[in-house]
Amino acid sequence: MRLTFATFLLFLWGSTCCGATRPQNVLLLLADDAGFEMGAYLNKYCQTPNLDALASTGLLFNNAFTSVSSCSPSRAQLLTGQASHSNGMYGLHQGVHNFNVLPEIISLPNVLRQQSNGSILSGIIGKKHVGPGANFKFDFEQTEEQHSINQIGRNITRMKEYAHEFLSQAKRENRSFFLTVAFHDPHRCGHITPQFGEFCERWGSGEEGMGTIPDWKPIYYDWRNLEVPPWLPDTDVVRQELAAQYMTISRLDQGVSLMLRELQRSGLAENTIVIYTSDNGPPFPGGRTNLYEHGIRSPLIISSPQPDARRHQTSAAMVSLLDIYPTVLDALQLSPSNGTRFSGQSILPVLFNEPKPDENDAVFGSQSYHEVTMAYPMRMVRNRRYKLIHNLNYWADFPIDQDFYTSPTFQQILNATINKQALPWYRTLQQYYQRPEWELYDIKTDPLERFNLAEKPKYTATLKQLQQKLFKWQVDTEDPWRCAPHAVLQAQGVFKKDPVCLTLGHEAIQRPKRKVLSQYEQYVLI
């Protein structure tokens, strides 16, 4: 059974198998750049008792993926049900980047308001990071648009108070609700406020000059005792970064506990579905901004109050964060307005019955930008065994974002490369920067994605099959990049009814060899 990307699927009201007699409220708990740093996902070091408890009362997904590994595009994906190339949120929303969804895009809070005639209350607490405001208009908003990002995204005491206010309003007005609590942990902050630590782990810790968050009891990790995951360089610098990251994840974990406690105190928990996930992978090499496994694999826990829902179990269903949009509509027993387009389908049936696995089950990815200067469009299809990545701008070097660049981990990789020093990592910086047009990996035998099979004759049929599957998804979702990089899309005039890809003649042009990273120029900041 394929659970995702039945493109532009017509949503069927009441399709859930759970037999709900009234709409279920939805509480979405969203982490910022978190991966699998929790006990429920078998991390032996990072202490997350509250997330682990949530997993014990719900269903934990082992094959959940984001369709885009960047903050604003991921949040827009959750709230529109459309890939970033479809909704227009190609990169980061704020500041000089200024990416916004297309004018006609309608997000979940707007749909809920329209379809329920105002009977459903929508709210967001924490990091919003999408726009424009009119396209993402929640009834209740306490975000970085009204507060500093740390105060509304990391101060779990203040977030708890706003959650209490929202839930009290929902109960007082007897309205079903959709509430997103978007933590800013464990996002990096060292490039902006290094005095608080690389992950703002010291902010609010009670240390001298750091202030205090009353509900947070910091957990300090001894970096010397930590084990480095195999996808990262095995160095003390990385261990120190992991210790800082784990500390801020402990704040996220305790924040999750506060939100669930407020839900219980409100008396609304017995009718509320709780979803925990993260927008994208951690900000380490191969993580965020990449379509490699640790950039797109997502933690996902869904806990339903229904008595026959699965609890303390895991699911191997292939699901995407694009499925959250129809899942919320399903829980609230609403259908989208006429003409609404989205990819994916409701995950709620999986909470009651595990679907039979099919080798053709697949999820898709679409990355175009992160920061506005990072033009590196990539598309991806991943089934249960293989992953295919199409690097559309493969003749350029893979770009590095600002906060990751200043991180101790990347600086160690960079300096070791410049000084020609050995580094215990399975990639070189040159391999990380310079990528071929097609990358095909057997995830089952090569989970670190070290061996590209795209040019191996043995895998020609697999490559062609996945290429066709990926291109069909791009056509179905009207990807503007669907003809790139070797052709131009013509979809106007005589081609309006039958769009075509017209060649750029690359097959007849001999490209010069790419520059090898053996020389480093010195740049002086003025």
Side-chain angles (χ1 to χ4, degrees):
M1 175 181 177
R2 185 173 64 186
L3 292 173
T4 55
F5 302 104
T7 311
F8 306 152
L9 180 71
L10 177 62
F11 188 83
L12 300 178
W13 181 27
S15 62
T16 315
C17 63
C18 56
T21 57
R22 58 166 292 179
Q24 300 283 291
N25 307 313
V26 178
L27 171 61
L28 173 62
L29 303 170
L30 183 61
D32 196 357
D33 290 2
F36 295 92
E37 306 87 4
M38 50 189 289
Y41 279 107
L42 305 182
N43 186 303
K44 299 182 294 183
Y45 302 94
C46 191
Q47 298 180 42
T48 54
N50 302 296
L51 285 169
D52 298 346
L54 178 62
S56 71
T57 63
L59 185 63
L60 183 144
F61 290 80
N62 283 321
N63 286 317
F65 301 83
T66 177
S67 72
V68 56
S69 188
S70 180
C71 182
S72 296
S74 180
R75 291 158 199 270
Q77 140 202 256
L78 285 167
L79 294 172
T80 68
Q82 296 188 39
S84 60
H85 65 248
S86 298
N87 63 41
M89 185 68 74
Y90 305 130
L92 298 181
H93 165 63
Q94 88 295 349
V96 66
H97 315 298
N98 198 39
F99 287 104
N100 290 284
V101 295
L102 299 170
E104 67 272 17
I105 298 298
I106 303 176
S107 70
L108 258 180
N110 299 53
V111 170
L112 298 181
R113 187 180 308 106
Q114 295 169 7
Q115 295 300 98
S116 71
N117 294 317
S119 65
I120 294 176
L121 183 68
S122 65
I124 183 168
I125 299 167
K127 187 174 180 179
K128 186 177 181 183
H129 212 28
V130 290
N135 296 62
F136 296 90
K137 187 174 178 55
F138 290 82
D139 300 320
F140 180 99
E141 295 195 15
Q142 297 293 339
T143 72
E144 75 277 6
E145 295 176 356
Q146 294 87 28
H147 310 269
S148 71
I149 186 61
N150 280 351
Q151 286 292 354
I152 198 57
R154 302 189 200 259
N155 188 335
I156 58 176
T157 296
R158 179 169 290 188
M159 297 174 76
K160 173 194 72 174
E161 293 167 351
Y162 284 124
H164 175 80
E165 183 179 338
F166 175 89
L167 294 170
S168 296
Q169 179 181 347
K171 186 173 185 180
R172 182 173 63 251
E173 298 174 358
N174 194 28
R175 298 165 71 182
S176 297
F177 68 81
F178 167 59
L179 173 62
T180 296
V181 178
F183 299 91
H184 194 30
D185 286 326
H187 197 284
R188 288 186 183 274
C189 71
H191 66 303
I192 298 177
T193 53
Q195 68 273 24
F196 298 140
E198 183 59 32
F199 290 86
C200 273
E201 69 276 7
R202 300 179 63 202
W203 188 83
S205 64
E207 299 175 34
E208 184 177 355
M210 295 295 109
T212 301
I213 300 173
D215 288 294
W216 180 34
K217 295 178 175 57
I219 299 176
Y220 292 85
Y221 293 85
D222 186 344
W223 61 267
R224 294 166 295 185
N225 295 327
L226 299 183
E227 180 179 304
V228 177
W231 60 285
L232 295 178
D234 189 3
T235 68
D236 287 346
V237 167
V238 174
R239 286 182 180 82
Q240 290 165 6
E241 286 231 84
L242 290 175
Q245 183 202 30
Y246 291 177
M247 184 174 174
T248 193
I249 285 176
S250 75
R251 181 168 53 205
L252 160 70
D253 179 72
Q254 293 174 37
V256 166
S257 175
L258 293 177
M259 303 308 146
L260 296 180
R261 194 179 310 161
E262 287 300 321
L263 183 63
Q264 286 287 345
R265 289 174 176 173
S266 71
L268 300 172
E270 293 183 358
N271 198 43
T272 301
I273 291 174
V274 178
I275 303 173
Y276 169 79
T277 189
S278 177
D279 54 354
N280 46 250
F284 285 97
R288 188 190 64 194
T289 76
N290 287 271
L291 295 183
Y292 297 133
E293 288 292 276
H294 293 280
I296 60 166
R297 285 194 64 199
S298 300
L300 179 63
I301 301 169
I302 304 181
S303 178
S304 170
Q306 300 232 5
D308 53 342
R310 298 164 67 188
R311 287 178 175 78
H312 206 184
Q313 295 184 31
T314 61
S315 172
M318 295 281 285
V319 299
S320 167
L321 296 193
L322 287 168
D323 297 329
I324 297 297
Y325 178 94
T327 298
V328 173
L329 291 178
D330 196 1
L332 292 167
Q333 297 186 7
L334 290 176
S335 57
S337 55
N338 292 334
T340 300
R341 302 183 308 179
F342 57 90
S343 296
Q345 63 189 62
S346 174
I347 303 174
L348 292 192
V350 186
L351 303 186
F352 302 88
N353 295 289
E354 179 73 5
K356 184 178 180 180
D358 188 314
E359 64 178 10
N360 293 318
D361 292 341
V363 293
F364 298 82
S366 172
Q367 182 89 16
S368 298
Y369 293 85
H370 181 65
E371 296 164 2
V372 70
T373 54
M374 297 172 64
Y376 202 88
M378 302 175 286
R379 300 296 183 264
M380 178 213 76
V381 56
R382 187 202 189 279
N383 61 26
R384 290 185 176 271
R385 178 158 186 173
Y386 295 101
K387 175 194 287 182
L388 179 67
I389 300 175
H390 191 191
N391 297 305
L392 307 184
N393 202 13
Y394 66 97
W395 45 75
D397 289 337
F398 188 79
I400 304 298
D401 52 301
Q402 295 177 43
D403 63 339
F404 173 54
Y405 180 87
T406 63
S407 71
T409 293
F410 183 75
Q411 284 297 305
Q412 184 180 43
I413 294 172
L414 181 64
N415 289 321
T417 303
I418 293 173
N419 296 313
K420 294 180 170 47
Q421 297 171 343
L423 186 74
W425 191 34
Y426 67 93
R427 280 191 175 104
T428 66
L429 188 57
Q430 178 175 329
Q431 291 169 335
Y432 192 71
Y433 284 157
Q434 298 184 355
R435 306 180 183 188
E437 180 177 2
W438 296 99
E439 296 180 74
L440 175 64
Y441 299 106
D442 184 340
I443 302 299
K444 183 177 181 179
T445 63
D446 179 26
L448 290 179
E449 299 162 291
R450 300 179 63 182
F451 306 107
N452 184 11
L453 307 174
E455 295 185 3
K456 302 291 185 183
K458 178 181 177 181
Y459 296 92
T460 300
T462 300
L463 174 65
K464 185 175 181 179
Q465 179 189 37
L466 291 175
Q467 286 175 328
Q468 292 174 341
K469 196 177 190 74
L470 177 59
F471 184 68
K472 181 181 185 304
W473 179 71
Q474 290 182 266
V475 171
D476 289 344
T477 56
E478 298 184 359
D479 185 355
W481 280 268
R482 60 187 179 270
C483 296
H486 303 297
V488 170
L489 172 65
Q490 293 288 357
Q492 300 296 325
V494 296
F495 302 107
K496 188 171 184 178
K497 291 184 178 180
D498 296 298
V500 296
C501 296
L502 300 181
T503 182
L504 288 169
H506 288 175
E507 66 276 9
I509 299 173
Q510 181 65 40
R511 290 187 175 276
K513 289 184 177 180
R514 300 183 57 175
K515 177 183 176 183
V516 178
L517 289 180
S518 59
Q519 301 290 326
Y520 288 86
E521 298 177 354
Q522 179 118 18
Y523 291 89
V524 179
L525 296 179
I526 301 176

